[in-house]
Amino acid sequence: SGNGIAVDVDGNAYITGEAGTTNFPTTAGAFQTTPVGFDTFITKLNPAGSALVYSARFGGNLDDFGRGIALDNAGNAYIIGWTVCRSTVCTFPTANAFQPNYAGGNNDAFVTKINSSGSALVYSTYLGGGKIINGTDDWGEAIAVDSLGSAYVTGYTFAPDFPVTAGAFDTSRAGLDAFVTKFTPDGASLVYSTFLGG
């Protein structure tokens, strides 16, 4: 399933979504993890649409869903989606993470930045709550990146303990709320994070 697309100034297309089949096309040298269930993918197509520049597939030990993608001026790609874990050890790939561990519940959002060659993760983090029973799910849906490399992400959450920042517009969840979260350029901390809903 292809769910998000971005295009750079040269006309290369970057697509993200999820792949279930084990023979989804990937390229040598691209970042990969062993296929398990549905995995997130990122594929870069050349301007003619005739060849893969790179194609990477990655995920944890259950299902992972890529939903949105954005690019910075250096050709790094930023992906948002969500990951599912049913184990005491969750293996979605993280790097330089704001939230290095799965928060709990059925699924967490994730935010991943992959380098311009598709060969390595610049940062990759879980984003979610989950310590409170029956209020544990987080879904990442869309992403944008500014000229300084800060990622802005949105989605929705049931988790009362979703990470929000002091002084944010809304720090208390009411049912199923949207969230808006801005990361620092290195992905290691939040500039702000707020619920948004009634």
Side-chain angles (χ1 to χ4, degrees):
S1 175
N3 298 314
I5 190 167
V7 180
D8 67 21
V9 294
D10 297 318
N12 298 290
Y14 301 69
I15 304 96
T16 193
E18 60 268 358
T21 177
T22 55
N23 63 348
F24 182 86
T26 57
T27 55
F31 178 78
Q32 312 290 349
T33 57
T34 302
V36 179
F38 287 97
D39 289 330
T40 297
F41 72 83
I42 175 172
T43 297
K44 180 180 178 181
L45 280 167
N46 70 3
S50 60
L52 303 181
V53 180
Y54 69 75
S55 188
R57 172 185 180 142
F58 58 91
N61 49 353
L62 198 56
D63 292 333
D64 315 278
F65 305 90
R67 281 295 183 265
I69 188 167
L71 308 173
D72 65 18
N73 294 331
N76 301 295
Y78 302 68
I79 303 165
I80 190 168
W82 69 84
T83 179
V84 180
C85 183
R86 297 285 188 270
S87 173
T88 55
V89 177
C90 302
T91 61
F92 186 85
T94 58
N96 306 312
F98 158 72
Q99 183 180 322
N101 298 312
Y102 192 79
N106 294 317
N107 45 276
D108 273 2
F110 70 81
V111 181
T112 297
K113 177 181 179 181
I114 194 165
N115 67 7
S116 59
S117 65
S119 61
L121 305 182
V122 180
Y123 68 76
S124 185
T125 184
Y126 294 105
L127 181 65
K131 295 179 181 177
I132 299 172
I133 296 172
N134 297 326
T136 57
D137 296 353
D138 316 279
W139 297 266
E141 292 287 354
I143 190 165
V145 178
D146 68 18
S147 60
L148 299 178
S150 286
Y152 301 70
V153 299
T154 190
Y156 47 102
T157 180
F158 269 127
D161 56 341
F162 184 88
V164 293
T165 53
F169 172 71
D170 183 356
T171 56
S172 298
R173 184 216 63 164
L176 180 63
D177 273 2
F179 64 83
V180 183
T181 300
K182 178 182 178 181
F183 284 85
T184 55
D186 63 4
S189 58
L190 305 181
V191 178
Y192 64 75
S193 185
T194 182
F195 294 110
L196 185 62

